[in-house]
Amino acid sequence: MKEHPTSLRVKLPVFVVVSQLVIVALFAVFVTYDDQADARLQGNGTVAMDNALYTDYPFFTDIQVMIFVGFGCLLAFLRQYGFGGMVFNFLTATFATQWAILVQGYFQFSHDGQIHLGLINVINAEFACAVVLISFGAVLGKTSPLQLLVMALLEVPVFAATEWAVLTYLKINDAGGSILIHLFACYFGLGVTFVLYRPRLNEGHAKEASGYRSDMLSAVGTLILWVFWPSFNSVLSLRGDDQHRAVLHTFLGLSASTLTAFALSAALNKGGKLTMADVQNVTLAGGVTVGATADMMISPAGAYALGAVGGAACMLGYRYLSPFLARRLRIQDQCGIHNLHGLTGLISSVAGICAILAASEEVYGPSLYETFAHRAPVEGDPKLLELRQQIPGLRAGLGRTAREQALYQVAALVFTVVVSVIGGVLTGFVLKLPCLGSPPDELCFDDDLFFDVPHDYEAPSPLSNKCTTDDSSV
Amino acid sequence: MKEHPTSLRVKLPVFVVVSQLVIVALFAVFVTYDDQADARLQGNGTVAMDNALYTDYPFFTDIQVMIFVGFGCLLAFLRQYGFGGMVFNFLTATFATQWAILVQGYFQFSHDGQIHLGLINVINAEFACAVVLISFGAVLGKTSPLQLLVMALLEVPVFAATEWAVLTYLKINDAGGSILIHLFACYFGLGVTFVLYRPRLNEGHAKEASGYRSDMLSAVGTLILWVFWPSFNSVLSLRGDDQHRAVLHTFLGLSASTLTAFALSAALNKGGKLTMADVQNVTLAGGVTVGATADMMISPAGAYALGAVGGAACMLGYRYLSPFLARRLRIQDQCGIHNLHGLTGLISSVAGICAILAASEEVYGPSLYETFAHRAPVEGDPKLLELRQQIPGLRAGLGRTAREQALYQVAALVFTVVVSVIGGVLTGFVLKLPCLGSPPDELCFDDDLFFDVPHDYEAPSPLSNKCTTDDSSV
Amino acid sequence: MKEHPTSLRVKLPVFVVVSQLVIVALFAVFVTYDDQADARLQGNGTVAMDNALYTDYPFFTDIQVMIFVGFGCLLAFLRQYGFGGMVFNFLTATFATQWAILVQGYFQFSHDGQIHLGLINVINAEFACAVVLISFGAVLGKTSPLQLLVMALLEVPVFAATEWAVLTYLKINDAGGSILIHLFACYFGLGVTFVLYRPRLNEGHAKEASGYRSDMLSAVGTLILWVFWPSFNSVLSLRGDDQHRAVLHTFLGLSASTLTAFALSAALNKGGKLTMADVQNVTLAGGVTVGATADMMISPAGAYALGAVGGAACMLGYRYLSPFLARRLRIQDQCGIHNLHGLTGLISSVAGICAILAASEEVYGPSLYETFAHRAPVEGDPKLLELRQQIPGLRAGLGRTAREQALYQVAALVFTVVVSVIGGVLTGFVLKLPCLGSPPDELCFDDDLFFDVPHDYEAPSPLSNKCTTDDSSV
């Protein structure tokens, strides 16, 4: 009997086992422990509690909860694709993180021919993983697990190389990753989904509907992401007041966008009723819009205003822009990542540029040159010596002016968007390879295709066929 | 076409947008960063890791999880009101916290005409938020989101003023907030629901029933609250052994009340069967009953006994007192907050008074005057100098005796209950304003009223009409 | 009217109330605070932030979340036994922890006739609790809550005595508890279920089936366990680089076993489809297999390989060994604990022995004698003085060689398995006492037996009878 083209029986094990052999071989040859994890490097004066584990681990677990539990639940909003949303998120996240440990390790954590592994690498890899999962949102329900793994396989190196180039050559400020994470992930995902365009899905799909219980679980995912977002935006900030501000601003931004989401959901939906899709997504917009400025002195009011603006942009995007993109530009953005990560990422980046232009010693004091490290005077500048009397360990910088720093931010933004679109489109073509087992249109959003579902899976409500005509709002 | 009176289309956006404009204006004019978050105030000797963020943030995230995820799930126990329970909790919590940052900030964190914002303000605001959410439990399913926002708008200032008056003038010991949080929230909520009395609901309501899956999700909420309750009770304790005890006592109290809840649920329900409502609520009683004494030397056995007593009182309250209140006193307490927060808060307060009367230097050593700061000798008292040889930084107190401190506790209890009842009743009258869109009786507990529900929402079980006759036990 | 034999009305309250009276009496007489929690013992130089609370509490909350929320959700996978899975887990966990505080306290934390209680005791008690919950997995759905409480009552002392004997006399390395926790729990549970053998259940049972929504919730439980497992494996490690490695290795091991689980699930199930039971269980295998070596210098590649091997063994166990055990050896292992804890525990123990034999000063430097404390030279050995120049506080050890340490590991493994099997079998006989209200075969896996279920509980799908014939794979 010939194997069905979407059957995972042979393809998935082959891909996974080959990947695992390659990964374990690369680990064996190239990966060793970093200073914080290597027993041999603990010397006479090592104080156990000064280990980086104790500053990093609480943030690490928060981000783990966001990625595996929060994202997993959020993506389970479709009534007949809950397994797919949650479980393919799990599979993709696990694979992307392993792969990112190696690829990012090569770019950022290697010396003497070895990648030096500590918890900090894993945290960075989780960011790369978040990038892949955001892009996943564009193609949810329309891709096989194998396609998702291949997407991760290709997206992680493109991301890691972009990140490395931006951090090494452009040297930007981007605490919450608005440019490198949200914009990259969004435009990569849109590039992929553009190539994977399925015209028949624009007419609606019987199974592309959320359900009452699946909407509840998805909302739990939103709440988990909401609660831990301050950790996400602050984990890579400078320790101390910078990180403290990043936490406060993220909380305020999310609070503002949540209220905006409720207000606009009631204003724009028929009958003045709230929709769960808005509650699940738009409430989170503020976390992205404060991202680039999270550690800066933008004032509490500034963070609040940014959150409200982000929520409004995200909501209007869902309402007016997404249908336009799908019908006119062939961009079918399943979860609306362009609204939650693209528009908000752009707003955040612009806000970051404004905040950089406005930053002055008057507001920041000498720690201006810590928050904006590249504006610190170059080694040998007498101003540096003067500053070091106030901040003893201050590192020499590049002596950039605010304007120069702002221009580098613009350059990074343009570069990131261009690379991500190209990367996404090329990846999309790879994903069209027939051997990757893309689901046929009629089996999209259907857990029965890839899972041995329980007996109560079917039992469709008598209303479910109506979905084709009036349920395209999710 | 005339807008339906419960439609949110105009009202909710108007209320929210006006609130947001007011809030952002107040933030812009009155709110700046505190010492821990202001870049300019980081001086020469500032050690980044000494920032208050690192002691406060882990407790902050725990409390965030409790409020948004734990409470949200717990309140989603009704089968046809899961969206409302979880989502209105989200909306109300977000609004209450923002508002409390400003109002509490005015009372407690302002100097030089500015509110100084740090994470500690947000933690305090979360407590004010918890107060509003507990009160919400009394009117769950019977109020529009606009009513809930107005309730938060009014309750937060009354709470903040009460809290300020008690802390400034009466100066009590109340680590877990038994008086200020649980009793205030309970009696305020009972005041509101008393005014909003709906006689027809006493005869049962077809939709006022939990469901199998909604009961599961609600139990997850309980487990989340259970697990993080020690953080709630200990976050505002003195650091060190006081906080350590608060964690231990809360854990022991919850453990004891959990066993009691199971025992009495089996003993009192028909057929010797457990009910999920008991598991969801009564298990948590111990967290409240150990609240007031959480940081005191009440001994592990004392904490355990308090938890067991609290569980028993809460269970008996659900069984016998709540029906009485609803039928005779016109107090329809939807989630039974009087059992979980009122009775237990009273027990806790009395236990606190006993523990204060029993506290002696013999048991506490000199740190008696840290745990009970107002019993420390006044400045100038030779006893203070003597104590400072043992505890160098000991602050001067008011020289109160144990009896005096106990009397202040009684005064605070009476004052808090009186203010909260009056505040709740007055708020109830405001909530009756027709423009707030209160749901009609027949549409209570029904998500279809305020949400664009998914297609599988209806599909009522053939048994659902039976609920009217025999399901008033939730 | 005579009480039904499975009614909890009298039995459960009697058991619980008697237990609570005994526990509170034992607390009152024997339990006091430890140095970290006793106000009187805080002296002149006590620094509040040095309290053990601040190193232990974050790990404690992680483990609490695992036990109450993670396990609770995981065990709720059966469609008609969700209350039982989640709620009996809650009840059993609470009781087991209280009891373990006393019993372990007697063995490990008592001096001067008193048990000295601090958070560290509760963390240890949670491990004892985890043991009971793992064993519970073998008999899920087939036991009354009273049987589970009696099982906890008996298993905790057997476990605590075994643990004490192994730690005191054999002195092994077992950071993640592969031997003491996973193997003990597994073989104890198998012993119990062997005695409770129900031949009719081997022919399948109409209610022994998962459901679509229950599978989702169970997967959330898995994700929670997955995310926090590094805390579980590292909490009792030495602080510093040892704990850092334990976190890294657990993360890598879980990542590897997750990929393996997906690959083999697709390869081995009919139609090349994934099953949720595999996703829920096999993904976690890596957390167990790296347990015994978590803090050792096994290299990142080693941890990854161990995880992959563990995943494969676990998967093959579910597929081939469990049916064999059920049919031929009368061991009905409901959740397959032999695969997730037994096989993996054995692999982990063997890996631990290999890692001990391979450990050298070349790889570990002088901290070899910290990680393997019993290999440190005995007091008086000149080598010890020499080492103390490099590690000032190094404790004298037993001067064991690697080979000797390995032999003690073998002895501990054998001893633990033998004791747990005997303990489990004897406990099984006690659980057969008719007064414990064991459910009859036809009411296994049915929440209606012990719960007052909501009205939507029944509504069985028309397909549910088919389960008897083809659904024995869960």
Side-chain angles (χ1 to χ4, degrees), chain A residues 33 37 51 54 57 82 98 447-448 450 452 456, chain C residues 212 231 243-245 249 255-256 273-274 299 304 389:
Chain A
Y33 300 107
N51 196 290
Y54 302 105
Y57 189 61
Q98 297 173 16
D447 273 336
D448 194 27
F450 296 121
D452 187 12
D456 62 347
Chain C
Y212 190 65
S231 298
Q243 196 167 25
H244 200 132
R245 279 195 300 282
H249 291 156
S255 296
K273 292 184 178 184
L274 303 166
S299 86
Y304 193 89
Q389 288 176 341

PDB file of all heavy atoms in Angstrom, chain A residues 33 37 51 54 57 82 98 447-448 450 452 456, chain C residues 212 231 243-245 249 255-256 273-274 299 304 389:
ATOM      1  N   TYR A  33      31.274  23.855  28.137  1.00  0.00           N
ATOM      2  CA  TYR A  33      30.588  24.727  29.104  1.00  0.00           C
ATOM      3  C   TYR A  33      31.228  26.108  29.126  1.00  0.00           C
ATOM      4  O   TYR A  33      32.413  26.266  28.845  1.00  0.00           O
ATOM      5  CB  TYR A  33      30.691  24.119  30.501  1.00  0.00           C
ATOM      6  CG  TYR A  33      30.074  22.752  30.628  1.00  0.00           C
ATOM      7  CD1 TYR A  33      30.863  21.611  30.746  1.00  0.00           C
ATOM      8  CD2 TYR A  33      28.692  22.599  30.645  1.00  0.00           C
ATOM      9  CE1 TYR A  33      30.292  20.358  30.870  1.00  0.00           C
ATOM     10  CE2 TYR A  33      28.117  21.339  30.765  1.00  0.00           C
ATOM     11  CZ  TYR A  33      28.923  20.225  30.881  1.00  0.00           C
ATOM     12  OH  TYR A  33      28.358  18.978  31.001  1.00  0.00           O
ATOM     13  N   ALA A  37      29.521  27.379  34.158  1.00  0.00           N
ATOM     14  CA  ALA A  37      29.007  26.015  34.266  1.00  0.00           C
ATOM     15  C   ALA A  37      30.112  24.968  34.291  1.00  0.00           C
ATOM     16  O   ALA A  37      29.840  23.787  34.479  1.00  0.00           O
ATOM     17  CB  ALA A  37      28.059  25.720  33.100  1.00  0.00           C
ATOM     18  N   ASN A  51      27.138  33.027  40.871  1.00  0.00           N
ATOM     19  CA  ASN A  51      26.962  32.400  39.570  1.00  0.00           C
ATOM     20  C   ASN A  51      25.834  33.077  38.786  1.00  0.00           C
ATOM     21  O   ASN A  51      24.803  33.424  39.357  1.00  0.00           O
ATOM     22  CB  ASN A  51      26.635  30.903  39.770  1.00  0.00           C
ATOM     23  CG  ASN A  51      26.829  30.103  38.499  1.00  0.00           C
ATOM     24  OD1 ASN A  51      26.064  30.245  37.562  1.00  0.00           O
ATOM     25  ND2 ASN A  51      27.871  29.290  38.461  1.00  0.00           N
ATOM     26  N   TYR A  54      21.882  32.629  39.054  1.00  0.00           N
ATOM     27  CA  TYR A  54      20.924  33.208  39.998  1.00  0.00           C
ATOM     28  C   TYR A  54      20.328  34.525  39.519  1.00  0.00           C
ATOM     29  O   TYR A  54      19.266  34.927  39.974  1.00  0.00           O
ATOM     30  CB  TYR A  54      21.549  33.309  41.386  1.00  0.00           C
ATOM     31  CG  TYR A  54      21.988  31.937  41.819  1.00  0.00           C
ATOM     32  CD1 TYR A  54      23.331  31.570  41.811  1.00  0.00           C
ATOM     33  CD2 TYR A  54      21.044  30.966  42.103  1.00  0.00           C
ATOM     34  CE1 TYR A  54      23.715  30.284  42.119  1.00  0.00           C
ATOM     35  CE2 TYR A  54      21.420  29.674  42.412  1.00  0.00           C
ATOM     36  CZ  TYR A  54      22.759  29.332  42.418  1.00  0.00           C
ATOM     37  OH  TYR A  54      23.121  28.059  42.701  1.00  0.00           O
ATOM     38  N   TYR A  57      18.226  32.738  35.921  1.00  0.00           N
ATOM     39  CA  TYR A  57      17.271  31.629  35.913  1.00  0.00           C
ATOM     40  C   TYR A  57      15.814  32.052  36.109  1.00  0.00           C
ATOM     41  O   TYR A  57      14.930  31.545  35.409  1.00  0.00           O
ATOM     42  CB  TYR A  57      17.687  30.569  36.943  1.00  0.00           C
ATOM     43  CG  TYR A  57      16.891  29.295  36.842  1.00  0.00           C
ATOM     44  CD1 TYR A  57      16.909  28.536  35.675  1.00  0.00           C
ATOM     45  CD2 TYR A  57      16.105  28.849  37.892  1.00  0.00           C
ATOM     46  CE1 TYR A  57      16.173  27.370  35.565  1.00  0.00           C
ATOM     47  CE2 TYR A  57      15.369  27.684  37.791  1.00  0.00           C
ATOM     48  CZ  TYR A  57      15.402  26.945  36.628  1.00  0.00           C
ATOM     49  OH  TYR A  57      14.668  25.795  36.528  1.00  0.00           O
ATOM     50  N   GLY A  82      -6.883  22.263  17.948  1.00  0.00           N
ATOM     51  CA  GLY A  82      -6.241  22.547  19.226  1.00  0.00           C
ATOM     52  C   GLY A  82      -4.964  21.742  19.422  1.00  0.00           C
ATOM     53  O   GLY A  82      -3.955  22.257  19.885  1.00  0.00           O
ATOM     54  N   GLN A  98      17.113  24.197  20.187  1.00  0.00           N
ATOM     55  CA  GLN A  98      18.352  23.400  20.044  1.00  0.00           C
ATOM     56  C   GLN A  98      19.215  23.927  18.916  1.00  0.00           C
ATOM     57  O   GLN A  98      20.429  24.065  19.038  1.00  0.00           O
ATOM     58  CB  GLN A  98      18.017  21.952  19.686  1.00  0.00           C
ATOM     59  CG  GLN A  98      17.238  21.217  20.705  1.00  0.00           C
ATOM     60  CD  GLN A  98      16.815  19.854  20.188  1.00  0.00           C
ATOM     61  OE1 GLN A  98      17.350  19.359  19.197  1.00  0.00           O
ATOM     62  NE2 GLN A  98      15.878  19.233  20.867  1.00  0.00           N
ATOM     63  N   ASP A 447      -7.360  18.520  13.009  1.00  0.00           N
ATOM     64  CA  ASP A 447      -6.423  17.697  13.767  1.00  0.00           C
ATOM     65  C   ASP A 447      -6.411  16.239  13.315  1.00  0.00           C
ATOM     66  O   ASP A 447      -5.466  15.507  13.605  1.00  0.00           O
ATOM     67  CB  ASP A 447      -6.769  17.735  15.258  1.00  0.00           C
ATOM     68  CG  ASP A 447      -6.107  18.905  15.963  1.00  0.00           C
ATOM     69  OD1 ASP A 447      -5.083  19.383  15.460  1.00  0.00           O
ATOM     70  OD2 ASP A 447      -6.614  19.326  17.007  1.00  0.00           O
ATOM     71  N   ASP A 448      -7.457  15.830  12.651  1.00  0.00           N
ATOM     72  CA  ASP A 448      -7.559  14.437  12.251  1.00  0.00           C
ATOM     73  C   ASP A 448      -6.475  14.058  11.234  1.00  0.00           C
ATOM     74  O   ASP A 448      -6.152  12.883  11.070  1.00  0.00           O
ATOM     75  CB  ASP A 448      -8.947  14.182  11.657  1.00  0.00           C
ATOM     76  CG  ASP A 448      -9.249  12.707  11.523  1.00  0.00           C
ATOM     77  OD1 ASP A 448      -8.690  11.921  12.311  1.00  0.00           O
ATOM     78  OD2 ASP A 448     -10.041  12.341  10.648  1.00  0.00           O
ATOM     79  N   PHE A 450      -3.167  14.836  11.226  1.00  0.00           N
ATOM     80  CA  PHE A 450      -1.867  14.454  11.784  1.00  0.00           C
ATOM     81  C   PHE A 450      -1.945  13.746  13.133  1.00  0.00           C
ATOM     82  O   PHE A 450      -0.918  13.363  13.686  1.00  0.00           O
ATOM     83  CB  PHE A 450      -0.977  15.695  11.924  1.00  0.00           C
ATOM     84  CG  PHE A 450      -0.629  16.333  10.608  1.00  0.00           C
ATOM     85  CD1 PHE A 450      -0.968  17.652  10.343  1.00  0.00           C
ATOM     86  CD2 PHE A 450       0.046  15.618   9.626  1.00  0.00           C
ATOM     87  CE1 PHE A 450      -0.640  18.247   9.126  1.00  0.00           C
ATOM     88  CE2 PHE A 450       0.373  16.206   8.410  1.00  0.00           C
ATOM     89  CZ  PHE A 450       0.029  17.516   8.160  1.00  0.00           C
ATOM     90  N   ASP A 452      -3.991  10.926  15.828  1.00  0.00           N
ATOM     91  CA  ASP A 452      -4.935   9.872  16.151  1.00  0.00           C
ATOM     92  C   ASP A 452      -5.885  10.458  17.204  1.00  0.00           C
ATOM     93  O   ASP A 452      -5.597  10.402  18.400  1.00  0.00           O
ATOM     94  CB  ASP A 452      -4.118   8.697  16.723  1.00  0.00           C
ATOM     95  CG  ASP A 452      -4.967   7.480  16.933  1.00  0.00           C
ATOM     96  OD1 ASP A 452      -6.106   7.449  16.442  1.00  0.00           O
ATOM     97  OD2 ASP A 452      -4.480   6.556  17.604  1.00  0.00           O
ATOM     98  N   ASP A 456     -14.327  11.481  20.740  1.00  0.00           N
ATOM     99  CA  ASP A 456     -15.269  12.596  20.784  1.00  0.00           C
ATOM    100  C   ASP A 456     -14.821  13.751  19.898  1.00  0.00           C
ATOM    101  O   ASP A 456     -15.382  14.833  19.969  1.00  0.00           O
ATOM    102  CB  ASP A 456     -15.460  13.083  22.225  1.00  0.00           C
ATOM    103  CG  ASP A 456     -14.172  13.601  22.839  1.00  0.00           C
ATOM    104  OD1 ASP A 456     -13.102  13.365  22.255  1.00  0.00           O
ATOM    105  OD2 ASP A 456     -14.233  14.242  23.897  1.00  0.00           O
TER     106      ASP A 456
ATOM    107  N   TYR C 212     -11.099  14.886  23.603  1.00  0.00           N
ATOM    108  CA  TYR C 212     -10.366  15.931  22.897  1.00  0.00           C
ATOM    109  C   TYR C 212      -9.960  17.053  23.836  1.00  0.00           C
ATOM    110  O   TYR C 212      -8.799  17.466  23.872  1.00  0.00           O
ATOM    111  CB  TYR C 212     -11.236  16.470  21.757  1.00  0.00           C
ATOM    112  CG  TYR C 212     -10.504  17.377  20.811  1.00  0.00           C
ATOM    113  CD1 TYR C 212      -9.468  16.912  20.017  1.00  0.00           C
ATOM    114  CD2 TYR C 212     -10.853  18.717  20.700  1.00  0.00           C
ATOM    115  CE1 TYR C 212      -8.800  17.746  19.144  1.00  0.00           C
ATOM    116  CE2 TYR C 212     -10.189  19.558  19.820  1.00  0.00           C
ATOM    117  CZ  TYR C 212      -9.164  19.076  19.051  1.00  0.00           C
ATOM    118  OH  TYR C 212      -8.495  19.904  18.189  1.00  0.00           O
ATOM    119  N   SER C 231      14.182  22.918  37.451  1.00  0.00           N
ATOM    120  CA  SER C 231      14.175  23.272  38.869  1.00  0.00           C
ATOM    121  C   SER C 231      14.127  22.028  39.740  1.00  0.00           C
ATOM    122  O   SER C 231      14.793  21.958  40.780  1.00  0.00           O
ATOM    123  CB  SER C 231      12.958  24.155  39.193  1.00  0.00           C
ATOM    124  OG  SER C 231      13.009  25.353  38.480  1.00  0.00           O
ATOM    125  N   GLN C 243      24.748  23.487  40.119  1.00  0.00           N
ATOM    126  CA  GLN C 243      23.331  23.729  39.864  1.00  0.00           C
ATOM    127  C   GLN C 243      23.128  24.263  38.440  1.00  0.00           C
ATOM    128  O   GLN C 243      22.151  23.899  37.772  1.00  0.00           O
ATOM    129  CB  GLN C 243      22.795  24.727  40.892  1.00  0.00           C
ATOM    130  CG  GLN C 243      21.288  24.746  40.959  1.00  0.00           C
ATOM    131  CD  GLN C 243      20.758  25.491  42.170  1.00  0.00           C
ATOM    132  OE1 GLN C 243      21.422  26.365  42.712  1.00  0.00           O
ATOM    133  NE2 GLN C 243      19.562  25.132  42.599  1.00  0.00           N
ATOM    134  N   HIS C 244      24.053  25.082  38.000  1.00  0.00           N
ATOM    135  CA  HIS C 244      23.985  25.608  36.632  1.00  0.00           C
ATOM    136  C   HIS C 244      23.984  24.459  35.617  1.00  0.00           C
ATOM    137  O   HIS C 244      23.171  24.426  34.691  1.00  0.00           O
ATOM    138  CB  HIS C 244      25.176  26.544  36.410  1.00  0.00           C
ATOM    139  CG  HIS C 244      25.009  27.497  35.268  1.00  0.00           C
ATOM    140  ND1 HIS C 244      25.279  28.834  35.368  1.00  0.00           N
ATOM    141  CD2 HIS C 244      24.613  27.309  33.987  1.00  0.00           C
ATOM    142  CE1 HIS C 244      25.031  29.422  34.198  1.00  0.00           C
ATOM    143  NE2 HIS C 244      24.646  28.518  33.346  1.00  0.00           N
ATOM    144  N   ARG C 245      24.885  23.514  35.814  1.00  0.00           N
ATOM    145  CA  ARG C 245      24.920  22.360  34.902  1.00  0.00           C
ATOM    146  C   ARG C 245      23.630  21.548  34.973  1.00  0.00           C
ATOM    147  O   ARG C 245      23.135  21.066  33.954  1.00  0.00           O
ATOM    148  CB  ARG C 245      26.102  21.441  35.238  1.00  0.00           C
ATOM    149  CG  ARG C 245      27.426  21.892  34.690  1.00  0.00           C
ATOM    150  CD  ARG C 245      28.460  20.780  34.744  1.00  0.00           C
ATOM    151  NE  ARG C 245      28.693  20.318  36.107  1.00  0.00           N
ATOM    152  CZ  ARG C 245      29.442  20.947  37.001  1.00  0.00           C
ATOM    153  NH1 ARG C 245      30.042  22.084  36.691  1.00  0.00           N
ATOM    154  NH2 ARG C 245      29.611  20.452  38.197  1.00  0.00           N
ATOM    155  N   HIS C 249      21.642  20.610  31.655  1.00  0.00           N
ATOM    156  CA  HIS C 249      21.502  19.218  31.228  1.00  0.00           C
ATOM    157  C   HIS C 249      20.042  18.802  31.163  1.00  0.00           C
ATOM    158  O   HIS C 249      19.633  18.074  30.247  1.00  0.00           O
ATOM    159  CB  HIS C 249      22.252  18.295  32.187  1.00  0.00           C
ATOM    160  CG  HIS C 249      23.731  18.451  32.116  1.00  0.00           C
ATOM    161  ND1 HIS C 249      24.563  18.117  33.145  1.00  0.00           N
ATOM    162  CD2 HIS C 249      24.533  18.926  31.141  1.00  0.00           C
ATOM    163  CE1 HIS C 249      25.823  18.367  32.809  1.00  0.00           C
ATOM    164  NE2 HIS C 249      25.826  18.860  31.591  1.00  0.00           N
ATOM    165  N   SER C 255      14.791  18.411  25.723  1.00  0.00           N
ATOM    166  CA  SER C 255      14.693  18.800  24.313  1.00  0.00           C
ATOM    167  C   SER C 255      14.896  17.594  23.411  1.00  0.00           C
ATOM    168  O   SER C 255      14.174  17.415  22.421  1.00  0.00           O
ATOM    169  CB  SER C 255      15.742  19.859  23.989  1.00  0.00           C
ATOM    170  OG  SER C 255      15.500  21.034  24.700  1.00  0.00           O
ATOM    171  N   ALA C 256      15.887  16.790  23.762  1.00  0.00           N
ATOM    172  CA  ALA C 256      16.172  15.622  22.933  1.00  0.00           C
ATOM    173  C   ALA C 256      15.033  14.610  23.002  1.00  0.00           C
ATOM    174  O   ALA C 256      14.582  14.091  21.971  1.00  0.00           O
ATOM    175  CB  ALA C 256      17.479  14.982  23.383  1.00  0.00           C
ATOM    176  N   LYS C 273       0.254   8.669  12.326  1.00  0.00           N
ATOM    177  CA  LYS C 273      -0.293   9.805  13.060  1.00  0.00           C
ATOM    178  C   LYS C 273       0.265   9.865  14.471  1.00  0.00           C
ATOM    179  O   LYS C 273       0.552   8.837  15.085  1.00  0.00           O
ATOM    180  CB  LYS C 273      -1.819   9.693  13.117  1.00  0.00           C
ATOM    181  CG  LYS C 273      -2.492   9.880  11.769  1.00  0.00           C
ATOM    182  CD  LYS C 273      -3.997   9.844  11.903  1.00  0.00           C
ATOM    183  CE  LYS C 273      -4.657  10.092  10.559  1.00  0.00           C
ATOM    184  NZ  LYS C 273      -6.129  10.160  10.684  1.00  0.00           N
ATOM    185  N   LEU C 274       0.364  11.075  14.981  1.00  0.00           N
ATOM    186  CA  LEU C 274       0.832  11.270  16.348  1.00  0.00           C
ATOM    187  C   LEU C 274      -0.299  10.940  17.326  1.00  0.00           C
ATOM    188  O   LEU C 274      -1.464  11.183  17.031  1.00  0.00           O
ATOM    189  CB  LEU C 274       1.241  12.732  16.545  1.00  0.00           C
ATOM    190  CG  LEU C 274       2.311  13.251  15.593  1.00  0.00           C
ATOM    191  CD1 LEU C 274       2.385  14.778  15.657  1.00  0.00           C
ATOM    192  CD2 LEU C 274       3.664  12.641  15.936  1.00  0.00           C
ATOM    193  N   SER C 299      29.069  16.625  29.778  1.00  0.00           N
ATOM    194  CA  SER C 299      29.132  17.373  28.517  1.00  0.00           C
ATOM    195  C   SER C 299      27.724  17.578  27.961  1.00  0.00           C
ATOM    196  O   SER C 299      26.841  16.733  28.152  1.00  0.00           O
ATOM    197  CB  SER C 299      29.991  16.688  27.454  1.00  0.00           C
ATOM    198  OG  SER C 299      29.260  15.748  26.721  1.00  0.00           O
ATOM    199  N   TYR C 304      22.334  15.479  25.928  1.00  0.00           N
ATOM    200  CA  TYR C 304      21.436  15.370  24.782  1.00  0.00           C
ATOM    201  C   TYR C 304      21.220  13.904  24.408  1.00  0.00           C
ATOM    202  O   TYR C 304      20.080  13.460  24.202  1.00  0.00           O
ATOM    203  CB  TYR C 304      22.027  16.149  23.614  1.00  0.00           C
ATOM    204  CG  TYR C 304      21.063  16.364  22.478  1.00  0.00           C
ATOM    205  CD1 TYR C 304      20.232  17.475  22.452  1.00  0.00           C
ATOM    206  CD2 TYR C 304      20.982  15.469  21.425  1.00  0.00           C
ATOM    207  CE1 TYR C 304      19.339  17.682  21.422  1.00  0.00           C
ATOM    208  CE2 TYR C 304      20.094  15.655  20.386  1.00  0.00           C
ATOM    209  CZ  TYR C 304      19.273  16.764  20.377  1.00  0.00           C
ATOM    210  OH  TYR C 304      18.391  16.965  19.357  1.00  0.00           O
ATOM    211  N   GLN C 389      43.803  24.432  50.020  1.00  0.00           N
ATOM    212  CA  GLN C 389      44.437  25.663  49.542  1.00  0.00           C
ATOM    213  C   GLN C 389      43.729  26.170  48.297  1.00  0.00           C
ATOM    214  O   GLN C 389      43.759  27.355  47.992  1.00  0.00           O
ATOM    215  CB  GLN C 389      45.918  25.421  49.264  1.00  0.00           C
ATOM    216  CG  GLN C 389      46.698  25.259  50.570  1.00  0.00           C
ATOM    217  CD  GLN C 389      48.143  24.924  50.344  1.00  0.00           C
ATOM    218  OE1 GLN C 389      48.522  24.475  49.258  1.00  0.00           O
ATOM    219  NE2 GLN C 389      48.960  25.150  51.342  1.00  0.00           N
TER     220      GLN C 389
END
